[in-house]
Amino acid sequence: MAAGKGTRMKSRLPKVLQRLAGVPLVQHVLHTAAQLQARSAVVITGHGAAEVEASLTASAASSPSTALQFVRQEPQLGTGHAVQQAVPALADDGLVVILSGDVPLTQADTLQALIAASAGTRLALLTIEFADPTGYGRIVRDGAQVKAIVEHKDASEAQRALREVYSGIMAVPARLLKPWLARLDNQNAQGEYYLTDIVKFAVADGVEVVAHTIQDALQVAGINSPLQLAELERAHQLRQAHALMAQGVRLQDPARFDLRGQLDCGQDVEIDVNCIFDGRVSLGEGVRVGANCVIANCSIAAGAVIHPFTHIDGEKLGVSVGEGALIGPFARLRPGAQLAAEVHIGNFVEVKNSTLAKGAKANHLAYLGDATVGERVNYGAGSITANYDGANKHRTVIEADVHIGSNSVLIAPVTIGAGGTVGGGSTITKSTEPGALSVARGKQLSLANWKRPEKKPKTN
Ligand code: UD1
Ligand code: CA
């Protein structure tokens, strides 16, 4: 169910597209469904339907085994009415698991247990006990047997005292669900078609209703406001941090850690405070990441050190950092930066779509774009590859053991031959021979005993 408006978010973005851990809420739910090997996922859209559908279609390629279907619910007349719209999309021999697009952190193993409780013959409800159950549908039992769900607004004082509530998640065989949906009405306090009324029908039809109760409130927490979104984000991040620490990763402070994707870590990885990891990142054995780094779509080999305030984003091309490399502080690695072992990239150095061979160094204030850099090259402070002529990108090749003097401009396409030297301040426009010293700058002129102009003394 992803048709609701989410008024309290006060956002132009449909609620289910708000992001938790960098991923739209409803995408978390679909990811969980894919883990269940669901045959198909039917998304009921309404508010912002076109936007929600476009967003999910764009990311659907990531779980090709679960077919994605959309049905629209317009207007929104309640949860029962929402599921009625999906009836034509539900195979009669299927088991239907009903989830909410704004409840992102349900775990697949919880749903597997719920599916097992349904066993293809029963109506299984996911329930939880709350100290304050205000607002939720109450689980009404007769002895141990579940008899009904009564919505808060329809409940008597005695029923409101019940603390076991319906989470909003159920598993039910499609062949049972369909006729029950057809019998729903809206004769209740909210004038809505309540999905929860099917419990009464199950009881009347002699179908067993079972409750699978969990303790973990995060798994059923829904999001209605920016504050709830932020609170769930922190709770989720803390869990991710704890899981990594249980694997041996040493986080300086698990409360100041953010993972918005997948992070794989070797042994003895250390991560200082306020780092953000996005997309797919892998950190080899003994990698150390300093404070305040943002690292996305990148693989960092064993023993590399990422100093504070480094920004790495490989986007689609990726970034790779070799063994024992030293990066930062204040370095920027962009898509296609491929750094071999023991490369050094220092402060305010930007690298894009460039390969640096073993031991190459660019330590200060430099740009390397569309470059192929050989082993042991020393790329001087302030140097630039001028890779863009206004229309096309060109490559710069710097062969092994070259020294590029400070503040040089290499106008691509150009090749600096192996072992060559470029004098500081040169603008190199033509390729150079191996071993050559190339200097391309104004010649120094020195005039002896030069007197600067002098100010005249003031007269009154
Ligand atoms: C629902 C349950 C309640 C349960 C609670 C758990 C019903 C009648 N009540 O209440 O027993 O304790 O969830 O959070 O089901 N939606 C649609 N179309 C609609 C109405 C809702 O798609 O016409 C979607 C919402 O966007 C949301 C989900 O269904 O994702 C649940 O709707 P919501 O209004 O939050 O249900 P509650 O009244 O809180
Ligand atoms: Ca709700």
Side-chain angles (χ1 to χ4, degrees), residues 10-240:
K10 298 187 178 159
S11 171
R12 292 165 74 109
L13 194 66
K15 178 168 75 172
V16 295
L17 294 184
Q18 303 286 341
R19 286 169 189 269
L20 182 111
V23 173
L25 297 175
V26 63
Q27 191 65 52
H28 283 273
V29 180
L30 285 173
H31 179 70
T32 309
Q35 285 176 276
L36 300 174
Q37 271 93 45
R39 213 190 292 170
S40 75
V42 182
V43 182
I44 303 157
T45 60
H47 278 283
E51 210 178 330
V52 173
E53 290 165 14
S55 164
L56 292 179
T57 304
S59 42
S62 55
S63 59
S65 58
T66 302
L68 188 59
Q69 296 179 70
F70 298 103
V71 296
R72 289 205 181 172
Q73 184 204 15
E74 277 156 351
Q76 288 83 41
L77 303 178
T79 53
H81 178 253
V83 180
Q84 280 172 352
Q85 313 311 306
V87 164
L90 303 175
D92 283 325
D93 66 342
L95 182 83
V96 182
V97 179
I98 296 173
L99 303 162
S100 291
D102 57 359
V103 179
L105 296 181
T106 319
Q107 286 168 207
D109 60 349
T110 298
L111 297 180
Q112 290 291 13
L114 187 70
I115 290 166
S118 160
T121 59
R122 293 188 279 262
L123 169 57
L125 308 173
L126 188 65
T127 72
I128 186 164
E129 283 198 18
F130 283 144
D132 177 10
T134 307
Y136 289 90
R138 305 300 203 280
I139 302 294
V140 179
R141 292 176 185 255
D142 184 358
Q145 199 55 50
V146 176
K147 288 292 171 193
I149 298 173
V150 179
E151 293 304 306
H152 182 90
K153 285 185 179 149
D154 298 279
S156 64
E157 277 309 307
Q159 287 168 335
R160 286 185 180 181
L162 296 169
R163 298 195 311 150
E164 185 186 7
V165 304
Y166 171 53
S167 67
I169 296 173
M170 64 169 71
V172 53
R175 67 187 158 78
L176 298 176
L177 175 65
K178 288 182 181 185
W180 293 336
L181 289 172
R183 284 155 69 183
L184 292 175
D185 64 47
N186 62 356
Q187 304 302 303
N188 53 54
Q190 301 184 79
E192 286 182 7
Y193 294 88
Y194 290 164
L195 177 62
T196 43
D197 281 348
I198 70 170
V199 174
K200 289 184 303 203
F201 302 148
V203 171
D205 289 355
V207 173
E208 206 183 336
V209 181
V210 289
H212 176 67
T213 307
I214 60 168
Q215 258 85 54
D216 179 8
L218 273 194
Q219 290 197 47
V220 297
I223 287 167
N224 297 298
S225 67
L227 179 61
Q228 286 173 348
L229 181 60
E231 285 173 346
L232 203 59
E233 175 81 31
R234 284 333 306 159
H236 176 59
Q237 291 299 348
L238 198 59
R239 274 200 185 175
Q240 296 193 124

